Amino acid sequence: MTRTVIDVAKVIDEQRMGSLHWKVVILSFVIMLTDGYDTVCVAYVAPLLRQEWNFSPAAFGPLFASGLLGAALGPVLVGHLADRVGRKPIILTGTLWFGVLTLAAVFAQSLNQLMILRFLAGLGIGGVLAIGTALVAEFAPRRIRATMIVMGVVGVALGGGLGGLMAALVLGHTSWHIVFWIGGLIPIALAVIGYFVFPESAKFLTLKPERWDELTKLLKILSPSLHVPADAKFVLGDEANAPKFSFKALFLGRLAAITPLLWVSNFLALLQLYFVNQWTPLLLTGQGTSVPRAALATAAFQICGFLGALAITRPVDRWGFAPVPALFAVGALVVGLIGMPGGSEMWVIALSGLSGFCVIGIQFANIASQSQVYPTYIRSWGVGVCYTFGRCGSVVGPLFAGVLVGFNVSINTLFYISGTLMGFGFVVALVLVPLYRKQLSEMQTAQAI
């Protein structure tokens, strides 16, 4: 007797946004909110730490880079693990991990201690973002996939912005420790809640026959009208999945060009994100702006970046990678303008916001795009490696800037260099546009057949 074959990818693509989708998106959004806050929170307190611990301006680079280095390694360390044991346990473990390590920063007594704690927390911060992206992508119907992915992970951008607003309000009235208390306790609570609320990825379960009973229950929640016979066989009709992970799969066919180009695009986007985010407040304080007022530049960058991430969703769903070159081009001009001498405080803050719209828009276009070009059996690893290259950019940017500052290169000049790199990103994105379009078209054709 022939077994009933159920194409899980087709079932997912046929669904409208339901309660299960919203559960995944909302909890992912809130976790990413804390992820984004914890990623940049050290930037809010860096000027106060310098006053208390009396270190040189060149030390800002290693301080900023320590957490970002951990975040660069996190996706590589946990991406393959998530492809083996599942998305849910890795996301929740990572959230708990970076919550505990951020909370521990409250008790740091020196710059070296804080740098170690930021590095360790970064391992969880980077891993959670990569695996969360894969999980949301695997629940999203194709027609709104980019939109759902960005809705699920855009909290990263908003978290940093809200943290900047909070810092502007409270740092003049209390110590810097409050920033880490908030950044530690909230993700710990979310990890506990997520254990009872978060579902496992339906596509991941499809590749694990020993867990098909769990998949059957999940599909009945996702599509109550779906009839699932006891002997049903589950497949993913829109992907070519292998029974065993292979690093070479990241470079099969058209991915041989797409994968390295996505790495470069991620590298440049994250380099810009953390450079502008962390050095603009220092540029302002160097001009005499107070620390709470300078934190508004970070808030403007993150909040406008949140708007940029939302604005990019439907264009990516409709036109693929095409909007990204335009964002790189505008961003190159804006980032360079930040460095022009003589700009007023409000002018620099406004430019910071516009640069956030472009730079974070690029980041989320990368996120939404790269999570769609890899099959399920290597998705967490593929997305994770892209994030790792992005985080390498986030590490290189502050470190390189710190070295240049140590050689008396002005912060204004650093922004000119940064804008030039955005111009290079424009070229990379132009090359990616047709490759990405052909890759998605090929995958959609496979599903139709």
Side-chain angles (χ1 to χ4, degrees), residues 28-45:
S28 175
F29 174 87
V30 177
I31 289 176
M32 299 307 163
L33 198 72
T34 63
D35 188 290
Y37 175 97
D38 282 14
T39 299
V40 301
C41 64
V42 71
Y44 309 143
V45 302

Side-chain angles (χ1 to χ4, degrees), residues 133 137 145-147 149-150 153 312-313 316-317 362-373 387 436 440:
T133 300
R145 187 161 296 161
T147 299
I149 292 169
V150 173
V153 300
I312 204 68
T313 57
V316 171
D317 273 327
I362 292 168
Q363 181 198 10
F364 281 92
N366 283 334
I367 290 171
S369 302
Q370 64 207 21
S371 58
Q372 299 189 56
V373 296
Y387 273 119
Y436 179 80
L440 282 196

